[in-house]
Each structure stands twice: as structure tokens, then as C-alpha cells.
Amino acid sequence: MKFTLDWLKAHLDTDASLEEICDKLTAIGLEIEGVEDRAATYAPFKVAYVESAEKHPDADKLKVCQVKTADHGTLQIVCGAPNAKAGMKVIFAPNGSYIPGLDITLKKAEIRGVESNGMMVSEKEMLLSDEHKGIIEVDEKHEIGTPMAEIYGLVDPVIEINLTPNRADCAGVYGIARDLAAAGMGTLKPVHYHPLGGTYKSSIGVKIEDEGCVHFVGREIKNIKNGPSPDWMQALLKAVGLRPINALVDITNFINLDHARPLHVYDADKINGDIVAKSAQGGEDLDALNDKSYTLLEGSLVITDSNGVIGLAGIVGGTSTSSELETTNIFLECAYFEPSRIARTGRDLGVNSDARYRFERGVDPEFTRPAMDLFTHLVFEICGTPDTKVSEVVEAGAPIEWRREINYDPSYFENLIGFEVEAHTQKTILHSLGFTIADSGKGWVINPPSWRGDVEGKADITEEIARIIGLDALPAVSVRADDATTKGAETLILSRVRAARAALTSRGLDECVSWSFTGENQARAFGCNDNALTALSLKNPISNEMNVMRPSALPLLIEAATRNSARGFAGAALCEIGPVFKGVKPEDQVSVASGIRAGAAFGRHWADKDATRSVDLYDAKADALAALEAAGAPAANAQVRTGAAEYFHPGRSGVIALGKTIIAQFGELHPAVLEELNVKFPVVGFEVFLENIPAAKKKSVAKPMLTLEPLQPLTKDFAFIVDESREAIDVLRAAMAADKKLISGGNIFDIYQGKGVDEGKKSVAIALTLQPRGESLTDKDIEALIKSVSDIVEKKCGGVLRG
Amino acid sequence: MSDINALKTELSTEIEAATDLAALDEVRVSVLGKKGRITALMKTLGRMDPEERKTTGQALNVLKDEIAALIKRQESALKKQAMDVRLASETLDISLPPRPERKGHVHPISQTIEEMVTIFASMGFSVAEGPDIEDDWHNFTALNFPPGHPAREMQDTFFLPDDESEQGERAKKLLRTHTSSVQIRNMTEIAKTGAPPIKTICFGRTYRSDYDMTHTPMFHQMECLFIDKDVTMAHLKGCLTDFVRTFFALDDLPVRFRPSFFPFVEPGAEVDIGYVKNKDGSIKLGKAPEGQEQKWMEILGSGMVHPNVLKNCGIDPEEYQGFAFGCGIERIAMLKYGIPDLRTFFDCDVRWLAHYGFSSIDRPNAATGQ
């Protein structure tokens, strides 16, 4: 919402400075978006006189002018404007000034070898219009040195406020003045509008056939003379960014901005029959005054005459009945439309207007007649002829019932806001805002004014008082002392997220935050089936690459690795701990710690010839296990088996499970998936399903008592020949089961195939840690152990102890 | 006795002449061994008369100890010499880089969230959670956005197909446009089984269909909610002031409340924090020094929870009241850590992550305050 200071002062009698007014506006909830002090912006630009204009020696279209200025003497300026000539008065911009239309600051220049100081400007360069055919020529009556702002009426600062949707009343300058007056910024000037009776019956009637139009009043005015609106009105409209059209249209625009009251004026001679507000059937076409055409939807609220649709109700009129310069007879529409209907029609057809803006926020239902009288007066004043005559008002419907009572106890203010405001102060503020108050004995009964449809309950009343007093008065009371929690503040999942993050980043993965959406192909490749794809597709995506809620973060991380690689940073190691989606219900969203490693494990290194090896599934497995352990999963007890999702390599991937519950999966990405994503380097990845980790059974955080064995442990190595398909971990598990008390640890330290081992077999070398308890081990003990280990491995895995 | 003195001189010379450990050992054996020279002299004592035996014996013992000490000293000297020789040949190029290890980084959004949880935990708040895919009821209607209200259009919403297993507004699926929907779930849940106080924070991904210099279709918000019988707007100001001052580590950070409008609060206020503009155009958060202009920037929205919202969640607004506030996480992270461009948060550029990210061991905690 834009207005000028003078416009405001037409309604507000005040001595306050611009700065004070702006500060107050922000303080009462009408936040200043910007103030354009045009006098300051245009201060450098003044009238100058072109003494001579000669052709540039090296350029046909340029002229070298000698220009007499007020502050800089006579200057040489090279100018390309076709209308530059000796003897004209121009607007001169000196070196060092900022040209708003070009967004440059002028410097002394040399143009084709000729010195040029400053410039003579066009209207476009001054942001006055789109006119750029030539430089501005000002009337010769203006003295050299006259500020441009004076000639163009640009001394009045333009104020823009950021109007919140609840304050429809302040979509007009008068409403803003009323708020400022209530806040002590001056006195509100009364608006004079006398009801004007008609002298004849309107030839056009009005009807309502859809409840979306609640109240419709109209009036015919005959024998007027349209023309340009007066300079003062044009200046105000231009200042707030509206293009003056003709007096009739300008008057409606002016009242719209002045009183937040949209009106529409028709050329009465172009209307056939009565005017009816009703629903569109759908399919009708309308050429609108905003130079666009619309095909209406069923249920759009429209204005019609007997020829059909002549306007979108409360939004924009049609060209077929518009008032033009030649118009002599008019019909004025002043209606109240249901805000939600205007919003819906506007949204469905994608049309915005100043009228829609106000109607959908709710205009003052009691201002229909006054607005009509204001308009009539202005038409008389600006377009009146001796023969002008005004019809009686035609009316359909009635104002909406806007009156309501709010029970309010003045002590509620302190209860809700936290500081005391005396009852009589509260009353004064409410009165000044137009509220009426009756004392019921048990508190107040408050009636909000007709223009404050947003005030519904007692909390709204406190807001009115608080904002007028100013929230600077609000004390700050700490909530630290209360309710210090003895439980952790985190949820279980959040703790896991945090721990997994720490574990993965400490293992060298960079944590990313990538989009929650991905493309359809990516979603399909990562396990999204047809049903899920339909349910999870955005109806209005930003692009086709971002149109499905992701079933996995892996495709986004892989694409990130590709982007990094393209920038010259290959071998990314990335993780993300975030949501993935299986469906649209809350429980279908799960938290997953995901990560990938791409390309070579490390760069070349002098001490490590193996550093540049490709990442492999064991890197991903280590990541997954680290995240699981950090997140509190009993990773040591988990089973590792095949069965990872189809986007992993079938032979080089696995899941980590507790019983039937899969808590993680890891492996090489499937080559077909990498091909689909156009990835040229190896990628391994993992996903840890944080919700699937069982909650710790033990409530206590105390750890069991530690007993330290005095005797040293010893290590015994074994090598078994097994089938090459046998998982090595089976051998170790079997061996460790030989004596659970004595064997305290084990490790697979070599896998060998080749010379000395039969085809189809492999050697698995394991080291068992033996912890003697109480007494040292004898040779006999050890022999017995070797036997039981080799027996059990043979029995369970068909393993033969290697000699 | 002169024999003994002569022997001492002789042996000392021999010990000094031994230039390696083997030669020294030879000397030791030739002196103190079973057939050694001092050992041989000791054996002669038995043939002496008691008086002589006593004096000679004493002298020999002294000699023996002295020689042993000399040998030991020479041995240390030789060992040290040998060590020096070895060390002189054992040099490595210390300029070579050590074996590689990867360093990962925590994303600034995570860092900021962990900081906020730490700060609010110290004020007695705990974390609440809710889904990213919401329905029209939780995201709008329950928050007092009536259907068709222009306030709904302030937020460009992403829509999903209707959930056919649900009815009405709950079937209309969308991506939450703010974390305020978590308030609704949180309050509804608590109202079902109990009653306030409710003192929670939530944070997470939020979505709006907007993508330009200063908007991304996904971003993060945090939200704070405190409902009890006597929570006032002054508590809101206190809580917020404590939060922003702790978060930005500025004890005198000015905080300003301005009346504003959000459908789910009444009264509503926007909150500004103070800064000054430096000569080079950069900004510095904090109180303006004498003579400099105090500037303000909007940082979050807040207010007293609207009675309609409490009612929608099954909480009696005649009995309970409270405040809520929320802010964009990227915005405060950008301010605190000097990150210039919102869009870069989601690009996963490893150079950006290494530069703006945080160490895995630098996790926020109550001791660091942030």
C-alpha cells in the first residue's frame, strides 16, 4: 500500500515530521516497507539551457552541446537525442549524480574523442515514464536552476507500508490516518459527503442472483463531460504507480485508494437491460480492462447485462461497457461481495487487481452509500455540466450483519500481555479507533466498528490496545527459571540423528542437506513403485527434476557427487541424515542416515600405495556400522546377510538386521542405476533406518561392574580350507563358539585362494584371543582347544584345518 | 700399596683405551673376571697375616669398586656414542605429509539446530516432531487460516494428490509451509491424554513454491511453543530475548517488537534485532554505539496463540494461554556465520561444506552456550 505524505495530511492534521510518522506507522503494525523521498532523489537535476548544439566531428547522430547550468557554469555535453537543439531548456544531470533509470552514477567522459560533462536526461532515465524518444524539453518559463522536482510535483514523499491481510481498513489512506490519530500523531479530519438525492429514476436496475454478492447499490448520472482528471489527482495516482486514464476512471481509483472502497463505472449507453450479479456458467469469454481475456469457470462471480458478462465481480470490468473519453452517461456500481468468492474467482482465473485486493480482505459494509456520494460529488466537480443530473439510487440486497459484541474485562489485558494499562486509557484508545464500549457491570461489552471485520474476540481487543501503546512498553520476563527439565530435551530419534551425524562426519563424510524431492526416474530407480509415485508426486512442482518426494536420499547424494566431480572435485564422501518418504501418511516418513563414497578412497600418497584404491562395499559397511553403533544399535549382535534393495549390486551388498528387522543396508550401487544417473565412477552407499533400531531395553544408564583378569590373554592363529562360497564370518563364529568362556575375541586376518588351495576352495585365517580365567593355560588346555575349534568348524562349515 | 696404586693407574688407562663395548668387556673380564687381575690379588689375601690382610683387603675392595665404576661409566659413554652414531644415520623427511584421513563436516543447518536445542533445553523446552507431508487441516485450518483467506496465498503451497483414505481437509495433502503444523499435532496429542503446560520446540524442513535469489523451494524453520495458565506476552519477549542474545552471543543485542499479523496468533508481533551498518556496507549485529544509527532487521514472527487455535486442538482458551514464535533457520545461520547466499545451502558443494561446515568434534553444548 502506497500513498504520499500530502495525501495522508489531507486526512490527518499533524505537525509530525515524516520520520516521526514513519516510526509510528511501524510501531502500530503498519510496517514501513520504504519511503521514497523524491525531493532528495531528484535534487541534483535542474533546468539548464542549451546555448549551442553542433554536429559531433566523428559521429553523425551525436551532437556537441554547450549547456548553461546554474551551478556548474557552461558545460560541454555530447548528446545523442534527436531533439537536442540550441535554445531549448532541458533537465541537466551533473557528473556524480545517480541516474535512476539507468542505474549508473555519471562520470566525466570522452565520447568519440570529445569531452562530455554530465547529461541531459529523458523521462525514462528519470523514471517518470517510458518516454525515451528524446530528452525532456521544459517550458521556457522555468528559470535555469529550477529543481526538476518542483516542475514535476515530485516534492511529496511516497510512503509504502507492508499491509498485513487482516487490516483491510488500512488499504485506504483515510484508515491509515485514523490509526495514526489514535496513536497520537494528530487529529483526523472529518470527511464531508452529503447524501445526494436523485432527481429521476435510473434507467438501469440492479439484481442479485448469487449470494456471493451481498449488497449492490448503483446510480445513473447523465450528461457529464469526461476528460483528463485534475493535476492534483493525476499527481497522486502517478506517485503511487497508477497510470491516469480519464477523469471517471481516475476518480474510482482515487476513492479506492483513499477509502479502500472499490467502485466501478460503466458507460450507461453501452449497457443493455439491467445489471445482474450472478454465477458464470463456465466457458463465457470476457475481454477485461487489464488488456487480458478470460474464459470463465463455472461458479465465477460475474456482473452481466442482457448481452452477457460485462465484468468479473469485484475484480476487473470488461471493455464492452467501459467508460471512455466520449462517455456522457454513466452508471456507478458500488457493491459488497463475499470476500471468499472474490478470492476464489481471482485465484482460479489468476487475476489480481486493486479491487480484488480490497474485496477479498473485506471492505467496510457501511461505506457503500458514502462512497457513492463521494463519487457523485467528484463527478459533479470534475465532469459536471449544466445539464448533469443524478438518478435515484437503485439497490439490491442489504449490508451484511457486521455488528458483534465482545465481552471484555480490562484486567484481561495484563493477564495476556503482561503489563498493566489503566482501564480509562484502554477505553480512550478503543474509542479513538471507532470502537464503542458499554459497561455491563461485569465488564465491558465492546462493539467494533464496521470497518474492523477482523476484530472478533477479546485477544483482538488487547492487540488494538497493545499496538497503539506500542510494544516497546512490553517487559521481558525470562522463562528460564520455570520447569527446568530433568529429562533430555531430545526425542529418541533426534538423539539418533545427532549421534549418527557425529559418527559419519568423524569418518570423513561431509554432511549435506539436499532437496526432499527428486525426479521421477530417480524415484523409480530407488524403489518407488507406481502407487507410491502417484501419491508422492507434487501437483505443482518447481520442475520435473523436483517433482516426487524422495524414496531415498541416495540419488540426490550421487547427483551431488557428480556435480562436485564436474567442478574438479572427484571422490566425494557425502552423508545426509534426513527424511525419506514411502507414502503420504505421517508414519510413512522415516529418518534415514544415508551416505555415499565415490571414486578413489584417497588421493595418491607417498606412503600408501593402496590409497587410490576404489571405494568398496567394506567402506560403506564400516560407515553403516559406525552410524548404527553411535545411534545405539546393538551392531555387534546384528546379522549381516544378503537382501539389500534392488538399487544395490546384488552380489556386492547386504543388510544389517536384528531378526527380521533391517536396520541398515550397504553395498555397491547397482551398475544399471549408476548408468541411469549417468555416473562414470564407482559409488558405494549405505542407508541406516533410524526408526528401526530397537529402543534400549535397560532403563538404567549405569554400566555393569568391570572385572579385570590378572592373567594376560594370548592369541592363537588357525587357517581353515572351506568352500569359496562359504561366508568367512561363519568360520569365525563357529570357531568362537568352541569355548565361549575362554575365547574372548576373534578376527579374520587373511583370505587366500591360489597355489596350495584347491580350486573352488579358499583359506580363511582367523586369530582367536584366549583369556585365561583364574589360572594359566597348560599345553594340554591349548591342545584341547585346538581340537574343539577344528571339530566345530568342520562340523558347521565343512572347514579343514590347514597344516 | 704402591702396587695397588700402580695397578689402578694401569687399569684406568686400559679402560679409557677401550673404544668399543667388546674391548671394554675384555678389560672387565681381565680385571674382575674369575682369572682377573684384581681377583688374583684377592686370592693372595689368605696368605697374609691378619694385620696386612686387613689393610690390603680394604684397599683391594676400594680398588675393585672404583674400577667397576670406571667400567660402568665408560660403558655408558660408549653406549651413548653408539646411539649418537645410530641416530645420526636415522633421519626421515619430516616435511612429508602423514597418511591421509578424511575430514567430514557438519552442515551449518544441523549445527544451528543443535545450538538451538541446547539453548532451549536450558530454558526447559523439549523437542516435538511432525511430518513434512501434512494435510490442509493441520497446516492451515487448525491454525486459523479460513479456507479462501488471502493469508493462505501468502504461502505458495506445494500440493500432493488427495489421500483417498481420509476425508475432507485431512485428505488434502500438501507439503507443510511452516513448522506451525507441529504445534497443532503437539497440542492435540497432549490435550487427548492430559493438559498443559506444553513447553516445546520443533524444527524441520518446510516448503514453498518459490525459487529465486532469496527463496528456495525447501528451507528450514524452528518454532517455539509455551502454553500454560499464566504465560503472557512478557514471557514471550523474555524467552525470545534470551534466545537471540544467547544464540548470537551478544549480551546487549537490542530486540524490538512490532505489532504484526499471523492468523494463528493474537496479538501478533514481528521481532527485529538491532545492527549497525559499517562504512564498507557490511553489517554488525548489536547495539549501535553513541552517534551511530541503530538499524533493525526482522528476524522472526511471534505472538500469543490464537484462542481459535487452542480450541481447534482441544485446549480451553478460557483456561490456558501461551505464546509461539518461529523463524527461518537458514536466515539466522546466514546472519550468525556470515553465509551470503541461501541457495548454496542445498548444493552439496564440498568446497562450501568444508568452508562453512563444522567439525564433528565441535558439537554445541551448554558449556559453549551455543
Side-chain angles (χ1 to χ4, degrees), chain A residues 510-536:
Chain A
D510 281 325
E511 189 196 12
C512 299
V513 175
S514 63
W515 306 123
S516 296
F517 8 70
T518 185
E520 191 179 318
N521 290 345
Q522 288 87 332
R524 279 191 194 283
F526 283 82
C528 199
N529 63 27
D530 286 348
N531 284 344
L533 197 69
T534 309
L536 290 169

Short mmCIF file of all heavy atoms in Angstrom, two decimals, chain A residues 510-536:
data_model
loop_
_atom_site.label_atom_id
_atom_site.label_comp_id
_atom_site.label_asym_id
_atom_site.label_seq_id
_atom_site.Cartn_x
_atom_site.Cartn_y
_atom_site.Cartn_z
N ASP A 510 31.13 -35.59 4.41
CA ASP A 510 30.59 -34.24 4.53
C ASP A 510 29.08 -34.33 4.60
O ASP A 510 28.45 -34.93 3.73
CB ASP A 510 30.99 -33.39 3.31
CG ASP A 510 32.42 -32.90 3.42
OD1 ASP A 510 32.86 -32.59 4.56
OD2 ASP A 510 33.10 -32.81 2.39
N GLU A 511 28.52 -33.67 5.60
CA GLU A 511 27.07 -33.73 5.74
C GLU A 511 26.40 -32.75 4.79
O GLU A 511 26.73 -31.57 4.76
CB GLU A 511 26.63 -33.40 7.18
CG GLU A 511 25.16 -33.68 7.39
CD GLU A 511 24.57 -33.02 8.63
OE1 GLU A 511 25.23 -32.16 9.24
OE2 GLU A 511 23.44 -33.38 8.99
N CYS A 512 25.44 -33.27 4.02
CA CYS A 512 24.71 -32.44 3.06
C CYS A 512 23.27 -32.26 3.54
O CYS A 512 22.77 -33.05 4.33
CB CYS A 512 24.64 -33.13 1.70
SG CYS A 512 26.25 -33.41 0.98
N VAL A 513 22.64 -31.22 3.03
CA VAL A 513 21.19 -31.12 3.12
C VAL A 513 20.72 -30.97 1.68
O VAL A 513 21.02 -29.98 1.03
CB VAL A 513 20.75 -29.91 3.96
CG1 VAL A 513 19.23 -29.76 3.93
CG2 VAL A 513 21.25 -30.05 5.39
N SER A 514 20.06 -32.02 1.18
CA SER A 514 19.62 -31.95 -0.22
C SER A 514 18.09 -31.91 -0.25
O SER A 514 17.44 -32.08 0.77
CB SER A 514 20.18 -33.12 -1.02
OG SER A 514 19.68 -34.34 -0.52
N TRP A 515 17.56 -31.64 -1.44
CA TRP A 515 16.09 -31.49 -1.56
C TRP A 515 15.37 -32.74 -1.09
O TRP A 515 15.85 -33.86 -1.27
CB TRP A 515 15.69 -31.20 -3.01
CG TRP A 515 16.38 -30.04 -3.65
CD1 TRP A 515 17.11 -30.07 -4.79
CD2 TRP A 515 16.39 -28.68 -3.22
NE1 TRP A 515 17.57 -28.81 -5.08
CE2 TRP A 515 17.16 -27.94 -4.14
CE3 TRP A 515 15.83 -28.00 -2.13
CZ2 TRP A 515 17.37 -26.57 -4.02
CZ3 TRP A 515 16.04 -26.64 -2.00
CH2 TRP A 515 16.80 -25.95 -2.93
N SER A 516 14.16 -32.54 -0.59
CA SER A 516 13.30 -33.68 -0.24
C SER A 516 12.64 -34.25 -1.48
O SER A 516 11.98 -35.27 -1.41
CB SER A 516 12.20 -33.24 0.72
OG SER A 516 12.74 -32.83 1.94
N PHE A 517 12.78 -33.54 -2.61
CA PHE A 517 12.15 -34.06 -3.82
C PHE A 517 13.21 -34.42 -4.85
O PHE A 517 14.32 -33.89 -4.83
CB PHE A 517 11.16 -33.08 -4.46
CG PHE A 517 11.13 -31.70 -3.87
CD1 PHE A 517 12.19 -30.82 -4.05
CD2 PHE A 517 10.04 -31.30 -3.12
CE1 PHE A 517 12.14 -29.55 -3.52
CE2 PHE A 517 9.99 -30.03 -2.59
CZ PHE A 517 11.04 -29.14 -2.77
N THR A 518 12.82 -35.33 -5.74
CA THR A 518 13.73 -35.76 -6.79
C THR A 518 12.90 -35.94 -8.06
O THR A 518 11.73 -35.61 -8.07
CB THR A 518 14.45 -37.05 -6.34
OG1 THR A 518 15.41 -37.40 -7.32
CG2 THR A 518 13.49 -38.22 -6.15
N GLY A 519 13.55 -36.42 -9.12
CA GLY A 519 12.82 -36.63 -10.37
C GLY A 519 12.16 -38.00 -10.41
O GLY A 519 12.48 -38.88 -9.61
N GLU A 520 11.26 -38.17 -11.35
CA GLU A 520 10.51 -39.42 -11.43
C GLU A 520 11.43 -40.62 -11.71
O GLU A 520 11.30 -41.67 -11.08
CB GLU A 520 9.46 -39.28 -12.54
CG GLU A 520 8.46 -40.40 -12.55
CD GLU A 520 7.41 -40.21 -13.65
OE1 GLU A 520 6.93 -39.07 -13.83
OE2 GLU A 520 7.09 -41.21 -14.30
N ASN A 521 12.38 -40.44 -12.64
CA ASN A 521 13.28 -41.55 -12.98
C ASN A 521 14.11 -41.97 -11.77
O ASN A 521 14.31 -43.15 -11.51
CB ASN A 521 14.21 -41.16 -14.12
CG ASN A 521 13.46 -41.02 -15.42
OD1 ASN A 521 12.32 -41.48 -15.52
ND2 ASN A 521 14.07 -40.38 -16.40
N GLN A 522 14.60 -40.96 -11.05
CA GLN A 522 15.40 -41.24 -9.87
C GLN A 522 14.56 -41.97 -8.82
O GLN A 522 15.00 -42.92 -8.19
CB GLN A 522 15.95 -39.94 -9.25
CG GLN A 522 17.05 -39.29 -10.07
CD GLN A 522 16.52 -38.36 -11.15
OE1 GLN A 522 15.42 -38.52 -11.66
NE2 GLN A 522 17.32 -37.37 -11.50
N ALA A 523 13.32 -41.49 -8.65
CA ALA A 523 12.44 -42.12 -7.66
C ALA A 523 12.20 -43.58 -8.03
O ALA A 523 12.29 -44.47 -7.19
CB ALA A 523 11.13 -41.36 -7.57
N ARG A 524 11.91 -43.82 -9.31
CA ARG A 524 11.69 -45.21 -9.75
C ARG A 524 12.94 -46.06 -9.53
O ARG A 524 12.86 -47.18 -9.04
CB ARG A 524 11.35 -45.24 -11.24
CG ARG A 524 9.92 -44.91 -11.54
CD ARG A 524 9.63 -45.23 -13.01
NE ARG A 524 8.37 -44.65 -13.43
CZ ARG A 524 7.19 -45.15 -13.12
NH1 ARG A 524 7.11 -46.26 -12.38
NH2 ARG A 524 6.09 -44.57 -13.53
N ALA A 525 14.09 -45.51 -9.90
CA ALA A 525 15.33 -46.28 -9.77
C ALA A 525 15.62 -46.61 -8.31
O ALA A 525 16.30 -47.59 -8.01
CB ALA A 525 16.50 -45.49 -10.37
N PHE A 526 15.10 -45.80 -7.40
CA PHE A 526 15.37 -46.04 -5.98
C PHE A 526 14.14 -46.55 -5.24
O PHE A 526 13.88 -46.22 -4.10
CB PHE A 526 15.98 -44.80 -5.32
CG PHE A 526 17.43 -44.67 -5.68
CD1 PHE A 526 17.81 -44.10 -6.89
CD2 PHE A 526 18.42 -45.18 -4.85
CE1 PHE A 526 19.15 -44.03 -7.25
CE2 PHE A 526 19.76 -45.12 -5.20
CZ PHE A 526 20.13 -44.53 -6.40
N GLY A 527 13.37 -47.39 -5.95
CA GLY A 527 12.41 -48.22 -5.26
C GLY A 527 11.01 -47.66 -5.11
O GLY A 527 10.20 -48.22 -4.38
N CYS A 528 10.71 -46.56 -5.80
CA CYS A 528 9.37 -46.00 -5.69
C CYS A 528 8.47 -46.72 -6.70
O CYS A 528 8.71 -46.64 -7.90
CB CYS A 528 9.44 -44.51 -6.00
SG CYS A 528 8.05 -43.57 -5.42
N ASN A 529 7.44 -47.43 -6.24
CA ASN A 529 6.57 -48.14 -7.17
C ASN A 529 5.50 -47.19 -7.72
O ASN A 529 5.41 -46.04 -7.32
CB ASN A 529 5.96 -49.39 -6.54
CG ASN A 529 5.07 -49.03 -5.35
OD1 ASN A 529 4.51 -47.93 -5.29
ND2 ASN A 529 4.96 -49.95 -4.42
N ASP A 530 4.67 -47.71 -8.65
CA ASP A 530 3.70 -46.86 -9.33
C ASP A 530 2.76 -46.16 -8.35
O ASP A 530 2.49 -44.97 -8.48
CB ASP A 530 2.88 -47.67 -10.34
CG ASP A 530 3.70 -48.00 -11.57
OD1 ASP A 530 4.79 -47.40 -11.72
OD2 ASP A 530 3.26 -48.83 -12.38
N ASN A 531 2.25 -46.92 -7.38
CA ASN A 531 1.30 -46.33 -6.42
C ASN A 531 1.94 -45.22 -5.63
O ASN A 531 1.38 -44.13 -5.48
CB ASN A 531 0.80 -47.40 -5.45
CG ASN A 531 -0.21 -48.30 -6.11
OD1 ASN A 531 -0.75 -47.96 -7.17
ND2 ASN A 531 -0.46 -49.45 -5.51
N ALA A 532 3.13 -45.51 -5.11
CA ALA A 532 3.82 -44.51 -4.29
C ALA A 532 4.16 -43.29 -5.15
O ALA A 532 4.04 -42.15 -4.71
CB ALA A 532 5.08 -45.11 -3.68
N LEU A 533 4.53 -43.58 -6.40
CA LEU A 533 4.90 -42.48 -7.30
C LEU A 533 3.73 -41.53 -7.51
O LEU A 533 3.88 -40.31 -7.46
CB LEU A 533 5.37 -43.05 -8.63
CG LEU A 533 6.16 -42.11 -9.51
CD1 LEU A 533 7.52 -41.83 -8.90
CD2 LEU A 533 6.34 -42.70 -10.90
N THR A 534 2.54 -42.10 -7.69
CA THR A 534 1.36 -41.27 -7.87
C THR A 534 1.08 -40.46 -6.61
O THR A 534 0.85 -39.26 -6.66
CB THR A 534 0.14 -42.16 -8.20
OG1 THR A 534 0.51 -43.01 -9.28
CG2 THR A 534 -1.06 -41.33 -8.58
N ALA A 535 1.12 -41.14 -5.48
CA ALA A 535 0.78 -40.47 -4.22
C ALA A 535 1.78 -39.39 -3.86
O ALA A 535 1.42 -38.38 -3.25
CB ALA A 535 0.69 -41.50 -3.09
N LEU A 536 3.04 -39.60 -4.25
CA LEU A 536 4.11 -38.70 -3.79
C LEU A 536 4.52 -37.66 -4.83
O LEU A 536 5.50 -36.96 -4.64
CB LEU A 536 5.32 -39.53 -3.37
CG LEU A 536 5.13 -40.35 -2.08
CD1 LEU A 536 6.26 -41.34 -1.90
CD2 LEU A 536 5.03 -39.44 -0.87
#
